[in-house]
Amino acid sequence: MKIFKMLFIATCMVSLVSLVSAQELLIHEVKDGDTLWDISDKYYKTPWLWMAIADYNKLKNPHALSPHDKIKIPEVPEVKVTAVFGDVTIKRIGTDKYVKLRVMDNIYPHDEIVVGADSTAQLEFADKSIVQ
């Protein structure tokens, strides 16, 4: 099961990183008191994607932002769950609890999906490519 989990996560992360790096949209100028948590909440409507911004900008210390720094805000690709068969769970970034994955759920960078034996999940990316 660990091999399936690692392979599935690696495949999804490669696909997400490819899409994110190709779809840069905005540049945010850091203001006094800004945090990646707040910036993520502003652009993505959830603070939990702050690591996507840190990773994309290759920030050595994501907690040390300086006013007037320019931070690139990547578009987070839309990834939808289109099918689930069997025992498939997800642990959302910022949580430590696994919950059942459902059709039409969104998947975000750093979410962790676990697929049980004889189980599958199908994800569809914005470009209509599919990972199963």
Side-chain angles (χ1 to χ4, degrees), residues 26-32 34 39 42-43 66-73:
L26 302 169
I27 295 179
H28 175 85
E29 184 172 339
V30 175
K31 296 173 186 69
D32 192 32
D34 273 354
I39 294 167
K42 175 181 179 177
Y43 291 101
S66 298
H68 308 293
D69 282 352
K70 303 246 190 298
I71 299 206
K72 297 172 187 173
I73 308 297

Side-chain angles (χ1 to χ4, degrees), residues 20 22-28 44 56 72-76:
V20 168
Q23 298 178 343
E24 180 182 311
L25 288 182
L26 302 169
I27 295 179
H28 175 85
Y44 301 138
Y56 188 79
K72 297 172 187 173
I73 308 297
E75 180 177 351
V76 175

Side-chain angles (χ1 to χ4, degrees), residues 89-102:
T89 58
I90 184 168
K91 183 175 81 156
R92 298 285 184 188
I93 183 171
T95 67
D96 33 350
K97 182 179 177 186
Y98 286 90
V99 296
K100 185 175 178 164
L101 186 68
R102 300 182 190 287

